[in-house]
Amino acid sequence: MESKSKLVKRAKKGDTEAFQLLIHEEKEKMYRMAYMYMKNEEDALEVFQESLYKALNSIRTLKQNDYFSTWLMRILINTAIAALKKKQKFILMNNELYEQIGNVTYFQSEEHLDLLQAMDDIEEKYKTVLLLRFYQDYTVKQIATFLDCPEGTVKTNIRRGLEILRSKLKGVYFDDRQNSVVSGRNESYSCPD
């Protein structure tokens, strides 16, 4: 298979087949992130499609081919935030919605449900960095590139976001060991250097 860098070069020249191959590698991550923001399939698909449209129309503006994934995720995040602001709705996930999405593996544990409900109540800047770091497994450096901000700011927002989540989840669990975001992990996360 052709290297990602070569596919990006072809896509920048207007090759839609190369663009489709690039999107094929990114589509699952993009949809998961859109769903985390929008909380329902219809809105997530709309954000996903709008992001692809924007990316296709502006791929020629991508300056560094190696950052295609980062550039694409930034478009998706900005599109999701704009969609939320436009609709001026913040959907709290309820039990009925959880039952509808019960076949999605990372929503199956009670701890994840509590976490997602708590994340609905935190500021977007904390929510975004936490989703990118712990649901998409991006490094602090990658997140800083996505959001076009210093790594120190990302680390601070991760730390503050985790503190807010811990305080929201503290009353949910009786055992201090379970104050962590996900049961079975250490009580605190450390930001990678």
Side-chain angles (χ1 to χ4, degrees):
M1 175 148 176
E2 204 170 349
S3 77
K4 192 171 194 173
S5 183
K6 287 181 182 179
L7 286 172
V8 172
K9 285 178 186 177
R10 283 180 42 207
K12 287 173 77 172
K13 291 178 182 176
D15 186 338
T16 56
E17 183 181 332
F19 184 78
Q20 289 174 348
L21 290 170
L22 289 165
I23 295 303
H24 183 71
E25 291 179 28
E26 305 290 333
K27 67 183 177 186
E28 284 184 40
K29 287 189 292 187
M30 290 179 67
Y31 176 76
R32 281 195 314 258
M33 183 61 80
Y35 194 93
M36 293 300 295
Y37 272 95
M38 305 312 294
K39 305 293 188 269
N40 69 64
E41 187 176 351
E42 184 179 318
D43 290 343
L45 285 172
E46 187 175 316
V47 164
F48 175 78
Q49 289 173 346
E50 186 175 342
S51 299
L52 292 181
Y53 177 77
K54 287 178 180 179
L56 181 62
N57 285 330
S58 63
I59 193 162
R60 288 185 178 99
T61 66
L62 176 62
K63 292 180 179 131
Q64 294 181 343
N65 294 350
D66 293 339
Y67 290 106
F68 175 79
S69 297
T70 303
W71 172 80
L72 191 60
M73 191 61 74
R74 185 184 303 167
I75 290 172
L76 182 112
I77 290 169
N78 290 338
T79 302
I81 291 171
L84 286 172
K85 286 179 182 177
K86 184 178 179 183
K87 292 183 179 191
Q88 293 184 359
K89 66 178 182 178
F90 296 94
I91 302 168
L92 293 175
M93 295 184 82
N94 58 33
N95 289 335
E96 188 178 305
L97 181 56
Y98 292 131
E99 290 170 12
Q100 291 174 4
I101 59 173
N103 59 345
V104 180
T105 56
Y106 53 82
F107 288 117
Q108 289 181 348
S109 78
E110 220 172 278
E111 289 87 5
H112 280 110
L113 298 178
D114 292 335
L115 174 61
L116 292 174
Q117 286 177 331
M119 289 203 44
D120 277 341
D121 295 333
I122 67 174
E123 289 181 56
E124 287 298 325
K125 66 182 177 180
Y126 302 132
K127 181 179 180 178
T128 298
V129 295
L130 291 175
L131 288 173
L132 288 170
R133 180 68 185 104
F134 298 110
Y135 279 87
Q136 299 292 335
D137 291 326
Y138 287 109
T139 65
V140 170
K141 186 174 185 170
Q142 289 171 319
I143 296 168
T145 303
F146 280 150
L147 303 177
D148 196 25
C149 68
E151 287 181 42
T153 302
V154 172
K155 289 178 183 180
T156 299
N157 287 344
I158 289 172
R159 183 180 45 78
R160 288 182 182 159
L162 288 173
E163 288 171 2
I164 292 167
L165 286 177
R166 281 190 193 103
S167 69
K168 288 183 177 299
L169 295 173
K170 190 172 187 166
V172 176
Y173 302 102
F174 297 110
D175 186 346
D176 282 342
R177 289 181 303 118
Q178 293 181 327
N179 282 343
S180 66
V181 177
V182 178
S183 176
R185 291 191 179 176
N186 294 333
E187 268 189 63
S188 63
Y189 292 100
S190 59
C191 294
D193 294 334

